[in-house]
Amino acid sequence: MAKVENISFAENFPISFKELEEEAEKVMGAGGFGYVQSGAGGEETLKKNIESFAKYSIVPRMLRDVSVPDISVNLFGKTYPYPVFLAPIGMQRLEHSEGELASARAAASFGIPFIQSTVSSYSIEEIANATGTSPKWFQLYWSNYEDAAFSMVRRAEESGYEAIVLTVDTVMMGWREADLRNNFSPLKLGYGKANYESDPVFMATLHDGDVVQGILDNIHHPTLSWEHIARLKEKTNLPILLKGILHPEDARLAVEKGIDGIIVSNHGGRQLDGVIAAIDALGPVVKEVKGRIPVLFDSGIRRGSDVVKALALGADAVCLGRPYVYGLAIGGQNGVEKVLANFIEETKVSLSLAGVGSLKEMASLKLLR
Ligand SMILES: Cc1cc2nc3c(=O)[nH]c(=O)nc-3n(C[C@H](O)[C@H](O)[C@H](O)COP(=O)(O)O)c2cc1C
Ligand SMILES: CCCCCCC(=O)C(=O)O
């Protein structure tokens, strides 16, 4: 890392999102890059996620001594040094041979949660063994074979994971034209099987030994409802977050049903095209939740000033998606660390220039729309 006027940043590495994307495209195959980069349908939401950040302007405060920035955040009784986490991204061997191991190690080096996808190229236990006691959360895709979902939750709990993130916006895959055009399915190419293959309960659900078909059958779960969530709550003592909430009414229901946290997200525009930009959904959800449970955010974070806007709108923390997997594609663990370093440093600089020395003062920051 270079140090210039107290700012450390990643040297000799793409800095902006545009540069990251361009470099990742050079090292990834067309099918893989298309899978990561694209959105659902006509990509209206994918575009809106980015453009909508520009509608919010920071109204900075001055003369407030920001010499010792503290951007640590406390969630579910644990303190994390930065409010920037790694979103669950499936099948990361698509980007790099070390896949999730590299990303989880990078998150560990910053002390921030790595949210492991159900559809991982490494098992829960492999990631846990590689990263010791560093914070890890497990993202659950519900399963038509409920016991397989519970089995993964139990394994995560036994492996020291700190939270369960149930993704509720993917009861079936979105309509993804790039993948149709490229005839590309990472799952069919064998990516993302390892975590399923390591689960004896899932393996027992297979009729003919076809793991890929078994995963597809498991992941297509259109019956998912609040009743399933009540059963999940009975199976774990870990905090449960729902990922993919956009409607304030769903946020209210989540609070009423005893859910521990929400991630406002539209899955990076990969599920239902035409839905509200995630950043526009954040304020109304925060207003409905009224501080009763933490609200996290993802979908469209491309730089530190975006992190600041999400925090100012009431997010407790944000999750990076595409930026870090592009870093992974370009440079493995080191690449993810460089992306994280840039995001964290730009966030610190932006908050300081906005007159916010600590996240506890965040409420004093106003956004104009
Ligand atoms: C290639 C790719 C794979 C993803 N896999 C998962 C997944 O397995 N589980 C999940 O909950 N979300 C998944 N997501 C969604 C991310 O967690 C996150 O919501 C999204 O990337 C945020 O949008 P952004 O990357 O544009 O900021 C995936 C996203 C991408 C780009
Ligand atoms: C059938 C495999 C599903 C993987 C889903 C990964 C994901 O969430 C994505 O957006 O892609």
Side-chain angles (χ1 to χ4, degrees), residues 241-260:
L241 296 93
L242 299 186
K243 174 174 182 278
I245 297 291
L246 295 169
H247 200 299
E249 272 297 292
D250 285 339
R252 181 182 63 77
L253 285 170
V255 174
E256 279 175 17
K257 309 254 179 215
I259 292 299
D260 303 281

Side-chain angles (χ1 to χ4, degrees), residues 71-257:
I71 60 169
S72 63
V73 57
N74 192 284
L75 289 175
F76 313 119
K78 305 245 160 47
T79 301
Y80 304 114
Y82 311 108
V84 179
F85 302 171
L86 297 191
I89 300 270
M91 302 174 277
Q92 293 190 23
R93 289 192 75 182
L94 193 57
E95 287 88 28
H96 190 272
S97 58
E98 290 176 8
E100 291 86 351
L101 283 185
S103 300
R105 285 180 174 132
S109 72
F110 284 84
I112 55 163
F114 171 70
I115 311 180
Q116 182 185 347
S117 166
T118 302
V119 198
S120 287
S121 324
Y122 291 89
S123 69
I124 292 169
E125 292 77 11
E126 284 171 316
I127 302 281
N129 288 337
T131 52
T133 56
S134 67
K136 285 167 289 291
W137 295 6
F138 181 68
Q139 177 267 324
L140 179 67
Y141 272 132
W142 195 256
S143 173
N144 281 318
Y145 302 95
E146 204 160 285
D147 285 343
F150 296 151
S151 170
M152 291 209 192
V153 168
R154 191 183 58 250
R155 287 168 53 209
E157 199 159 353
E158 285 170 2
S159 300
Y161 283 51
E162 296 173 352
I164 301 296
V165 173
L166 177 68
T167 299
V168 293
D169 59 15
T170 309
V171 295
M172 59 192 75
M173 290 289 279
W175 183 256
R176 302 185 184 174
E177 293 188 356
D179 300 338
L180 292 170
R181 208 172 293 120
N182 293 330
N183 190 20
F184 188 80
S185 162
L187 195 60
K188 289 189 179 150
L189 292 171
Y191 295 99
K193 284 198 301 185
N195 190 43
Y196 278 98
E197 282 174 332
S198 63
D199 194 286
V201 179
F202 164 76
M203 292 304 279
T205 67
L206 302 183
H207 301 302
D208 51 7
D210 184 343
V211 175
V212 170
Q213 191 53 49
I215 296 174
L216 290 169
D217 293 345
N218 267 265
I219 273 191
H220 188 88
H221 49 269
T223 56
L224 185 67
S225 75
W226 291 103
E227 286 164 29
H228 299 89
I229 287 167
R231 290 205 287 280
L232 174 63
K233 265 177 69 65
E234 284 167 17
K235 294 285 175 183
T236 181
N237 293 319
L238 293 178
I240 298 172
L241 296 93
L242 299 186
K243 174 174 182 278
I245 297 291
L246 295 169
H247 200 299
E249 272 297 292
D250 285 339
R252 181 182 63 77
L253 285 170
V255 174
E256 279 175 17
K257 309 254 179 215

Side-chain angles (χ1 to χ4, degrees), residues 52-58 279-281 283 309 313 367-369:
S52 293
F53 273 92
K55 293 188 300 199
Y56 299 87
S57 303
I58 299 165
I279 194 70
D280 290 337
K309 289 179 182 180
L313 285 167
L367 293 186
L368 259 191
R369 201 184 151 178

